[in-house]
């Protein structure tokens, strides 16, 4: 997570503007943002305010337990519940005493509930703690007798990853269709990955990790099928700021923040991706990093990318829409933190097409998904969460 142009929050990462596909110009009007539209894409998006008053929101999460609650993560260390548009007065979780934010990309970065949460009543968080320069901690907590309150005394640390710098912490947590917990880590920070953590397989930095947290008697296990017999599932990432699995197909979409020129979206079909190398820092997007020529053999190249300019700076990954808006179904939504632009991405056979769908004034820090497959977006600046739709 770099922070280069505007006062950014966490993770923000680099400067960016579009390249992979033709973009339509958009204007914003009230609660909708309209573009020219293209075959297979809606002509505009709508943004319905759901809740406001959050401080530096970094994640929007559903427990998928039938309660229809949304959990909004605040970078400072609190998690608040939204139920029917009302924000809980008491936080679901408050670990602000454990969290460090000496760097703008540090803090409480994500929360995730396991598929069997209704039975196990445990959940997981990813944050930078008060050790060292602000190291990454992956913890498990239990819910108290009150379903709207976590039990702070139940904390168990699963993973602790030393960070060499205060940026590029990654932060994503997501359960895959295989039931395992996937974790996104950045390359450790500074510019250009000076320690080459992205390409090294003796460090957990610059990776997608996969661990088995199904046992309640130990912290985690290494799943069979992990390619290097450790936690690493995929590597060659700079700072994956949000990845997600399509709830219908199980496909994986990864938004990886670029350095000075390119933001990218990577893709893995369901059941694939073990040992995948996404290229950083040999590549930045589909271009050689700081070199005219480089070896691209064996690399997974992005299915979408955009180049810096026009106010873009840092990609924020979203979700494949599976809600009720027919014109959005099957479209992967992603945006840019600095410009507020939102794109849609869809695959037609072997071809990927992306289209600019909205030009907002939001500082897009995260997207979220509820139990019904509706997608939400957070404006980091105003602390407002919106439900995304289409006319």
């Amino acid at each position: 997570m770099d922070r280069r142009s505007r006062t950014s929050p966490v993770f923000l990462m680099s400067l960016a503007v579009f390249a992979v596909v033709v973009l339509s110009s958009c204007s914003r009007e009230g609660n909708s943002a309209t573009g020219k539209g293209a075959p297979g894409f809606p002509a505009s998006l709508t943004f319905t305010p759901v809740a406001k008053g959050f401080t530096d929101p970094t994640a929007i999460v559903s427990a998928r337990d039938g309660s229809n609650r949304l959990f909004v993560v605040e970078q400072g260390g609190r998690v608040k519940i939204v139920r029917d548009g009302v924000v809980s007065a008491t936080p679901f979780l408050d670990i602000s005493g454990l969290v460090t934010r000496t760097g703008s990309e540090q803090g409480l970065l994500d929360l995730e509930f396991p598929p069997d949460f209704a039975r196990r009543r445990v959940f997981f968080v990813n944050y930078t703690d008060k050790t060292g320069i602000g190291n990454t901690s992956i913890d498990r907590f239990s819910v108290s007798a009150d379903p709207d309150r976590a039990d702070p005394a139940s904390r168990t640390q699963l993973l602790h990853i030393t960070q060499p710098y205060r940026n590029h912490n990654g932060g994503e947590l997501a359960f895959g269709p295989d039931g395992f917990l996937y974790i996104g880590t950045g390359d450790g920070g500074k510019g250009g990955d000076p320690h080459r953590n992205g390409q090294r397989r003796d460090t957990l930095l610059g990776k997608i990790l996969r661990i088995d947290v199904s046992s309640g008697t130990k912290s985690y296990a290494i799943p069979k099928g992990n390619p290097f017999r450790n936690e690493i599932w995929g590597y060659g990432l700079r700072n994956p700021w949000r990845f997600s699995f399509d709830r219908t197909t199980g496909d994986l979409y990864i938004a990886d923040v670029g350095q000075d020129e390119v933001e990218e979206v990577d893709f893995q079909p369901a059941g694939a991706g073990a040992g995948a190398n996404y290229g950083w820092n040999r590549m930045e997007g589909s271009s050689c990093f700081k070199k005219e020529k480089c070896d691209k053999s064996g690399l997974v190249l992005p299915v979408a990318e955009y180049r810096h300019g026009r106010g873009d700076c840092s990609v924020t990954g979203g979700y494949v829409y599976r809600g009720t808006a027919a014109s959005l179904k099957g479209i992967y939504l992603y945006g840019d933190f600095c410009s507020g632009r939102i794109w849609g991405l869809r695959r037609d056979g072997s071809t990927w097409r992306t289209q600019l769908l909205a030009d907002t004034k939001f500082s897009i820090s995260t997207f979220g998904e509820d139990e019904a497959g509706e997608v939400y977006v957070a404006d980091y600046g105003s602390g407002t969460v919106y439900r995304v739709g289409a006319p």
Side-chain angles (χ1 to χ4, degrees), residues 32-254:
S32 68
T34 306
K36 291 180 180 179
F41 294 93
S44 62
L45 296 180
T46 60
F47 300 96
T48 304
V50 171
K52 60 182 180 180
F54 301 105
T55 302
D56 303 340
T58 54
I60 306 165
V61 185
S62 166
R64 295 165 296 196
D65 62 350
S67 68
N68 294 313
R69 296 173 295 176
L70 285 179
F71 296 77
V72 178
V73 176
E74 295 183 330
Q75 191 177 354
R78 294 180 178 86
V79 179
K80 296 179 179 177
I81 292 175
V82 179
R83 182 185 278 108
D84 298 325
V86 177
V87 182
S88 58
T90 303
F92 170 71
L93 176 70
D94 185 349
I95 57 169
S96 53
L98 301 177
V99 170
T100 190
R101 281 189 65 184
T102 55
S104 66
E105 297 175 23
Q106 296 177 322
L108 179 55
L109 303 179
D110 204 6
L111 158 78
E112 181 67 346
F113 297 91
D116 59 352
F117 169 70
R119 177 180 62 85
R120 291 181 62 200
R121 295 173 60 81
V122 300
F123 62 92
F124 304 85
V125 293
N126 187 330
Y127 64 97
T128 52
D129 66 18
K130 293 185 180 296
T131 66
I133 207 166
N135 295 317
T136 290
S137 187
I138 311 297
D139 293 358
R140 181 183 66 221
F141 285 87
S142 299
V143 179
S144 70
D146 179 351
D148 288 343
R149 297 291 303 276
D151 176 6
S154 66
R155 172 179 174 260
T156 299
Q157 186 178 73
L158 307 188
L159 265 174
H160 193 250
I161 303 172
T162 301
Q163 295 285 351
Y165 306 104
R166 290 186 173 91
N167 58 342
H168 300 187
N169 302 292
E172 179 67 37
L173 298 173
F175 278 91
D178 52 15
F180 297 131
L181 180 62
Y182 290 72
I183 303 165
T185 66
D187 66 9
K190 213 167 184 180
D193 192 9
H195 304 297
R196 291 191 58 79
N197 289 327
Q199 289 298 307
R200 288 169 51 191
R201 298 205 295 266
D202 60 349
T203 173
L204 299 185
L205 297 172
K207 308 297 187 292
I208 297 239
L209 312 178
R210 187 178 79 147
I211 61 176
D212 182 354
V213 294
S214 60
S215 171
T217 59
K218 56 184 178 180
S219 57
Y220 69 90
I222 303 298
K224 293 180 180 179
N226 276 22
F228 310 114
R229 298 183 181 179
N230 59 12
E231 294 89 346
I232 297 171
W233 178 253
Y235 65 107
L237 293 160
R238 182 176 180 271
N239 195 38
W241 185 248
R242 298 305 175 224
F243 60 79
S244 64
F245 293 92
D246 182 343
R247 63 164 55 196
T248 297
T249 66
D251 297 335
L252 173 63
Y253 292 77
I254 306 167

Side-chain angles (χ1 to χ4, degrees), residues 296-324:
K296 300 182 182 181
S297 59
L299 302 181
V300 177
L301 299 181
V303 295
E305 62 181 12
Y306 59 95
R307 292 190 171 273
H308 292 181
R310 293 183 59 184
D312 296 302
C313 81
S314 176
V315 67
T316 298
Y319 292 83
V320 175
Y321 182 87
R322 297 296 180 185
T324 58

Side-chain angles (χ1 to χ4, degrees), residues 19-20 258-264 266 278-296 299-302 304-308:
V20 146
Q259 177 74 38
D260 297 320
E261 297 182 6
V262 184
E263 307 296 309
E264 69 181 81
D266 300 303
Y278 297 96
W280 176 254
N281 66 355
R282 197 189 307 174
M283 309 286 296
E284 183 182 8
S286 61
S287 302
C288 297
F289 179 63
K290 304 296 185 184
K291 296 179 180 179
E292 289 187 8
K293 296 181 179 180
C294 60
D295 181 8
K296 300 182 182 181
L299 302 181
V300 177
L301 299 181
E305 62 181 12
Y306 59 95
R307 292 190 171 273
H308 292 181

